[in-house]
Amino acid sequence: MIDTAHKRNFCIIAHIDHGKSTLADRFIERARLVTSRGPAQTQILDNMDIERERGITIKSQAVTIPYTAADGEEYELNLVDTPGHVDFTYEVSRAISSCEGALLLIDASQGVEAQTLANLYLAMEHNLEIIPVINKIDLPSADIPACLHQIDHDLGLDPDSACFVSAKTGEGVDTLYEAIVNLIPPPDGKKEDPLKALIFDSHYDPYRGVIVHCRLFSGSMHPGDIIRFMHSGAEYKVEDTGIFQLQLVSKNELSAGDVGYFIAGIKTISDIRVGDTVTRVDNPADEPMAGFKEVKPVVFSSIYPVDSNDYEELQDAIERLKLNDASLVYEKDSSAALGFGFRCGFLGMLHLEVVQERIEREFDLSIVFTSPSVRYIVHLKNGETVEIDNPLEYPDVTRIDYAEEPYISADIITPTQYVGPIITLCLEKRGVQTGMNYLDEKRVELIYEMPLAEVLFDFYDRLKSISRGYASFDYTVNGYNRTELVRLDILVNGEPVDALSQLVFKGNAQSRGRVVCERLKKEIPRQQFKIAIQAAIGGQIISRETVSAFRKDVTAKCYGGDISRKRKLLEKQKEGKKRMKMVGNVEIPQSAFLAVLKTDEDE
């Protein structure tokens, strides 16, 4: 059993695409936790199909690595690999809270970027020991002196403590191992104290129930112990404890400083809450640990099953997903067009896409998402205020005094040659510049106040294409500002389709309505009668498209004869179509709902 002084808990944090998962691969290979794996198997800790396909980390993953230092001492290193995308900052904050140190990775060719700074501040809030690591030193475009200057100038860290590695080739990894052992402090909890374990994640196993991921700050845990969740008060008997070494590896004891898991036959998912403290019933802790900040969703959308009989399965799927993704927020919802479903809150559009793909793949369900929206505050004339994220809850226009929408402070770091096009993009998105700092002769930091709703759909994609991938973007939500808000209704054959309604800024309403109508025209199948697709604000139609009718040739059976006979048949057809239009119910396919969600870039 390794004592606490020989344990090290650390995470890898960085901007997206700076090589966190690749570096984790090299650590795992050096520890010989994998033997002969196929040449194509990289990003060992990214165990979801979506992570591999998109080349991003979505879930933070823990692994325990045995290491023998240069002086012959045995150490146990607990590594947590974290995501880099701004939508998954919550995963990063949870990983950071279970560690004493962090490796701050910096791409040798890209330098310090927006998310690098954001993650540095997160680590500083938790008083972590930070080791700057310059990665990708094998690239021809690597500029190590510039990176060392940025570590000193932008981050305020000591450039002399920086390590140089190539996660791809493995160069410098041994030196980094020694830096982790020498610079990161050991955990300071005592095994003899009452048990305090912080839950930082969990997942569901259909055979064993909930598997809880925890970090022990004091005390110890063994199979057979009776434990209590301090938030919910639920008590369970521990069946198994262990550590993560790519698979779950059972151990007879977890003690202070360990990162591991326990299984206690938990079937009631609501008993588990990320950030809760676990203690023993026979020797309880005085008070729970601080836990994590409550996450605030910024994007809201409703999920409905395509087949209404799948509602129970969808409810079960969302509950299990919530276990593995603590930032997902949901409540029950219903729609006239789509039946019963759930109103969900997400941390961003990428988070929404990932949740959609995980429900479809992991639970084999067909689902429809409604158009995403942010949460608005509407002030009524009678002095009341209401928070609205669903267009169907939007009050009558005559009752509204004014509305407010959430604003963000956007932090963009870009090479100087792309400043002009990026400023144009921000102005187009109703942004107001609040700062412009030259970090050095090649890089500029732009700070903009802009509405969150404008950033949701295609801002990040357009920013990347304008700057050829060099600009980086990070944001924080910082309050509400007054806006002109309207509800855009979509009518198909004169009937409003509530699932397609959107809350939009008045100035963008016409262009948004036109885009939705054009997309629906392509998706709705033709009928025997004309179908009008209209976008309306209140009673005013602002855009229209028409799906033309099929024409059945009713005069085909007339060979010659008098023209009046043909005319009589055409008139009869015309009457029939008019009657059909009155009772005609247009079925809107699932693809039409999805088409409305796409950005202009996806066309």
Side-chain angles (χ1 to χ4, degrees):
M1 190 76 186
I2 290 180
D3 66 344
T4 313
H6 285 78
K7 291 176 184 173
R8 299 289 184 273
N9 299 319
F10 69 98
C11 57
I12 307 177
I13 55 176
H15 188 77
I16 191 167
D17 257 356
H18 280 204
K20 296 176 293 298
S21 299
T22 312
L23 182 60
D25 286 359
R26 297 296 84 77
F27 279 134
I28 291 164
E29 281 172 15
R30 289 293 162 97
R32 293 189 168 82
L33 295 183
V34 284
T35 48
S36 56
R37 59 192 186 93
Q41 175 78 3
T42 55
Q43 275 75 45
I44 303 165
L45 291 180
D46 289 349
N47 53 19
M48 281 193 277
D49 292 342
I50 309 169
E51 292 182 313
R52 295 189 173 285
E53 285 168 21
R54 291 176 176 251
I56 57 172
T57 301
I58 292 166
K59 287 291 302 165
S60 57
Q61 299 288 349
V63 62
T64 301
I65 299 170
Y67 174 64
T68 306
D71 57 6
E73 295 282 341
E74 294 283 332
Y75 287 88
E76 193 176 82
L77 311 180
N78 290 311
L79 153 69
V80 186
D81 179 30
T82 64
H85 196 281
V86 65
D87 280 14
F88 302 111
T89 305
Y90 191 58
E91 287 287 328
V92 181
S93 71
R94 296 200 334 240
I96 282 173
S97 65
S98 56
C99 299
E100 278 80 34
L103 304 183
L104 183 65
L105 231 60
I106 297 154
D107 187 322
S109 61
Q110 303 267 25
V112 170
E113 301 200 59
Q115 203 65 27
T116 318
L117 284 164
N119 287 335
L120 171 71
Y121 296 143
L122 269 179
M124 283 178 162
E125 278 175 31
H126 289 78
N127 295 321
L128 265 58
E129 182 65 41
I130 298 161
I131 302 174
V133 180
I134 297 176
N135 186 24
K136 305 189 186 181
I137 57 172
D138 57 313
L139 290 180
S141 56
D143 189 350
I144 293 168
C147 286
L148 289 170
H149 172 70
Q150 289 168 20
I151 288 170
D152 183 24
H153 182 265
D154 299 358
L155 305 180
L157 299 175
D158 180 10
D160 296 335
S161 66
C163 296
F164 307 98
V165 300
S166 167
K168 189 175 176 183
T169 64
E171 183 187 342
V173 171
D174 291 330
T175 314
L176 187 53
Y177 260 132
E178 287 299 313
I180 291 164
V181 168
N182 295 325
L183 297 177
I184 292 176
D188 56 3
K190 291 188 174 65
K191 187 178 172 180
E192 302 76 37
D193 291 346
L195 171 66
K196 266 191 184 181
L198 182 70
I199 299 173
F200 68 89
D201 205 355
S202 52
H203 70 274
Y204 191 84
D205 185 295
Y207 302 106
R208 308 180 77 181
V210 179
I211 296 173
V212 181
H213 305 204
C214 63
R215 155 75 202 272
L216 274 72
F217 282 87
S218 64
S220 61
M221 186 189 292
H222 313 77
D225 287 347
I226 307 294
I227 55 161
R228 179 185 296 138
F229 295 105
M230 295 184 83
H231 173 75
S232 62
E235 294 181 5
Y236 288 94
K237 183 179 179 182
V238 177
E239 295 170 3
D240 185 22
T241 56
I243 57 172
F244 303 103
Q245 284 192 331
L246 303 187
Q247 283 82 35
L248 304 179
V249 179
S250 286
K251 287 179 74 177
N252 286 328
E253 180 187 48
L254 289 178
S255 62
D258 281 339
V259 174
Y261 71 89
F262 68 85
I263 299 170
I266 302 163
K267 294 283 192 277
T268 313
I269 290 173
S270 57
D271 284 348
I272 306 296
R273 182 167 169 177
V274 166
D276 198 357
T277 305
V278 178
T279 190
R280 281 186 15 197
V281 172
D282 58 355
N283 184 16
D286 301 333
E287 56 181 6
M289 300 190 65
F292 310 107
K293 279 191 295 193
E294 275 293 316
V295 64
K296 287 196 175 142
V298 294
V299 182
F300 298 85
S301 177
S302 295
I303 310 177
Y304 298 95
V306 172
D307 180 353
S308 55
N309 295 328
D310 288 342
Y311 177 75
E312 299 291 333
E313 284 86 344
L314 179 61
Q315 184 170 11
D316 190 40
I318 291 177
E319 274 186 9
R320 290 191 186 179
L321 201 61
K322 166 82 175 165
L323 195 65
N324 195 233
D325 181 359
S327 51
L328 179 65
V329 178
Y330 68 93
E331 60 186 28
K332 291 181 179 177
D333 193 18
S334 64
S335 151
L338 298 169
F340 290 101
F342 296 91
R343 188 74 180 165
C344 298
F346 305 93
L347 301 185
M349 286 299 285
L350 179 64
H351 187 207
L352 183 150
E353 286 174 35
V354 165
V355 168
Q356 180 183 353
E357 286 194 37
R358 287 187 71 182
I359 290 173
E360 287 174 347
R361 292 181 188 204
E362 294 173 24
F363 304 98
D364 199 23
L365 289 170
S366 296
I367 51 174
V368 172
F369 270 75
T370 60
S371 188
S373 169
V374 297
R375 180 167 281 164
Y376 297 94
I377 296 177
V378 178
H379 296 261
L380 305 179
K381 287 178 180 172
N382 62 4
E384 286 180 42
T385 59
V386 285
E387 290 192 355
I388 290 170
D389 59 63
N390 191 337
L392 303 182
E393 296 168 0
Y394 192 63
D396 191 301
V397 185
T398 55
R399 295 173 54 208
I400 297 171
D401 185 13
Y402 65 95
E404 293 180 313
E405 65 178 330
Y407 265 64
I408 60 166
S409 178
D411 188 358
I412 301 164
I413 296 178
T414 174
T416 48
Q417 64 263 41
Y418 305 117
V419 169
I422 289 173
I423 288 176
T424 307
L425 172 66
C426 293
L427 291 174
E428 186 187 315
K429 297 290 183 181
R430 297 191 279 140
V432 177
Q433 192 178 101
T434 57
M436 183 174 180
N437 308 315
Y438 277 82
L439 301 173
D440 51 43
E441 61 276 4
K442 290 183 181 173
R443 295 179 313 133
V444 182
E445 180 185 37
L446 298 170
I447 301 166
Y448 270 85
E449 297 273 322
M450 59 173 71
L452 176 62
E454 297 285 348
V455 177
L456 291 186
F457 287 98
D458 59 349
F459 180 82
Y460 193 71
D461 294 338
R462 285 183 61 191
L463 179 70
K464 284 291 177 192
S465 59
I466 283 172
S467 65
R468 298 183 188 171
Y470 283 104
S472 63
F473 170 66
D474 185 45
Y475 68 84
T476 50
V477 180
N478 61 355
Y480 281 77
N481 286 2
R482 198 162 171 158
T483 185
E484 287 189 79
L485 189 65
V486 291
R487 185 171 104 180
L488 182 68
D489 290 315
I490 305 298
L491 291 79
V492 176
N493 232 12
E495 293 293 318
V497 181
D498 57 0
L500 294 176
S501 296
Q502 300 176 26
L503 293 171
V504 293
F505 174 63
K506 192 174 181 180
N508 298 344
Q510 191 164 8
S511 58
R512 186 75 194 143
R514 195 179 304 124
V515 168
V516 172
C517 290
E518 285 168 2
R519 288 185 185 158
L520 286 176
K521 183 183 177 183
K522 292 176 189 171
E523 297 294 335
I524 292 177
R526 290 167 71 189
Q527 307 285 342
Q528 292 287 348
F529 51 90
K530 282 183 183 177
I531 303 169
I533 303 167
Q534 297 164 311
I537 299 172
Q540 183 188 6
I541 305 295
I542 57 170
S543 179
R544 172 184 170 129
E545 293 286 338
T546 306
V547 179
S548 53
F550 281 126
R551 183 176 179 275
K552 185 180 176 185
D553 193 356
V554 288
T555 59
K557 59 183 182 226
C558 299
Y559 309 89
D562 189 42
I563 186 68
S564 58
R565 190 165 168 227
K566 289 186 180 181
R567 198 169 287 136
K568 184 181 169 188
L569 287 169
L570 289 167
E571 289 296 326
K572 193 176 174 186
Q573 182 191 37
K574 200 175 182 182
E575 288 299 317
K577 286 198 174 186
K578 203 177 280 181
R579 207 164 46 246
M580 190 185 273
K581 186 174 182 180
M582 278 161 54
V583 296
N585 187 12
V586 181
E587 195 168 300
I588 303 171
Q590 181 191 355
S591 58
F593 292 99
L594 299 177
V596 173
L597 302 190
K598 285 184 181 173
T599 65
D600 299 327
E601 300 290 318
D602 297 333
E603 291 280 288

